[in-house]
Amino acid sequence: MSPEDIWLELLGQNLVILLLAGFVILCVLLGVRIVPQAEKHVVERFGRLRAVLGPGINLIVPFLDRVAHKVSILERQLPTASQDAITTDNALVEVETSVFYRILEPEKTVYRIRDVDAAIATTVAGIVRAEIGKMELDEVQSNRSALIATIKSSVMDAVDDWGIEVTRAELLDVNLDQQTREAMLQQLNAERARRAQVTEAEGRKRAVELAADAQLYAAEQQAKARRISAEAEAYATQVVAAAIAENGLEAAQYQVALKQVEALVALGQGAGKQTVVLPASALDVFADAFSLLKGRA
């Protein structure tokens, strides 16, 4: 036999085995599905939902089951969107929003909504207009964090049936038209002028109050000083009266003479007083003082 005949005979004998091996290999390739960590695969059987495959190695029935959808479960960001809204005080604002979300249940997302990004963007736009329409312009500017929380909660409730989780909702900017900006600038300048006038008036009032307090304090101190002086004078008078009562009239005469001597000494010690003129009775004063002093001794 020729080599060609031998080859054909061997091929005919092993053809079934080769076909069976190829079929087994094909079944393994079609039945084993390796899903990446960041994905989930939706499996259909005859066009009907069969299972959702998670990350790792998964087995399906070859020729009956097929992976119809490969869905990424990574967090996604919608493109920044701008929409107009009108507040309750009829101010037109342009709001820029951004939303982050991720798919938790792919079987709901692929069978209930066609364009996820467009659906979420439309939902966010409607909710933003509705929420801003309930607020005044000043509230939109000052309560932005509360507005963001309300928008996020409303969006989460709206997209819950789509198997989506809204992770973040941001209000990036609130832009005003030119007329509204000019009006707000005038209001801001007027408010600043009012505050400056109030501050100046409060400063003048405080200065007057401090001056009055200072005058009152000075009057109190003067009255206190006069009271202390009067008390000291009364005490001295009491001591003199006691001395007179105890020692008689000579004690009083001695005190008077002593005061006269002190006055003459002070007069002589004054600046520029090189010559002191004494009255004729001055010597009698000294004599009386010494005589009284001797008498007491």
Side-chain angles (χ1 to χ4, degrees), residues 64-197:
L64 298 181
D65 298 340
R66 71 181 185 91
V67 177
H69 304 280
K70 296 180 180 180
V71 180
S72 174
I73 59 176
L74 294 177
E75 188 172 359
R76 309 179 188 184
Q77 178 186 4
L78 290 180
T80 301
S82 299
Q83 54 265 351
D84 296 333
I86 300 177
T87 61
T88 55
D89 50 353
N90 296 324
L92 178 63
V93 296
E94 182 182 359
V95 183
E96 294 183 2
T97 58
S98 180
V99 177
F100 297 79
Y101 74 95
R102 62 192 183 99
I103 297 175
L104 298 180
E105 300 175 275
E107 64 275 15
K108 293 183 179 181
T109 305
V110 298
Y111 293 118
R112 293 187 178 182
I113 190 71
R114 180 182 295 275
D115 191 342
V116 178
D117 290 352
I120 296 178
T122 303
T123 303
V124 171
I127 292 174
V128 168
R129 290 192 180 99
E131 293 299 328
I132 291 181
K134 301 176 183 178
M135 308 173 66
E136 294 184 355
L137 180 58
D138 293 340
E139 295 177 346
V140 175
Q141 297 286 358
S142 59
N143 298 330
R144 183 174 297 187
S145 58
L147 180 59
I148 291 174
T150 303
I151 292 174
K152 178 181 177 181
S153 177
S154 300
V155 174
M156 289 180 63
D157 293 339
V159 303
D160 183 63
D161 292 338
W162 301 339
I164 296 173
E165 177 190 16
V166 176
T167 56
R168 292 178 60 189
E170 296 293 339
L171 203 63
L172 301 180
D173 199 2
V174 178
N175 299 317
L176 307 175
D177 60 309
Q178 187 63 28
Q179 295 179 351
T180 305
R181 288 183 179 179
E182 292 177 356
M184 291 185 64
L185 181 60
Q186 293 178 359
Q187 182 182 1
L188 180 60
N189 292 334
E191 180 65 20
R192 288 177 178 174
R194 185 190 67 81
R195 290 181 179 178
Q197 293 177 358

Side-chain angles (χ1 to χ4, degrees), residues 48-62:
R48 186 181 182 90
L49 175 64
R50 176 67 179 84
V52 177
L53 305 182
I57 298 177
N58 298 270
L59 300 178
I60 61 175
V61 179

Side-chain angles (χ1 to χ4, degrees), residues 33-46:
R33 287 288 180 265
I34 300 177
V35 181
Q37 181 66 37
E39 292 183 358
K40 285 186 178 182
H41 292 180
V42 179
V43 177
E44 294 180 351
R45 177 177 295 179
F46 301 118

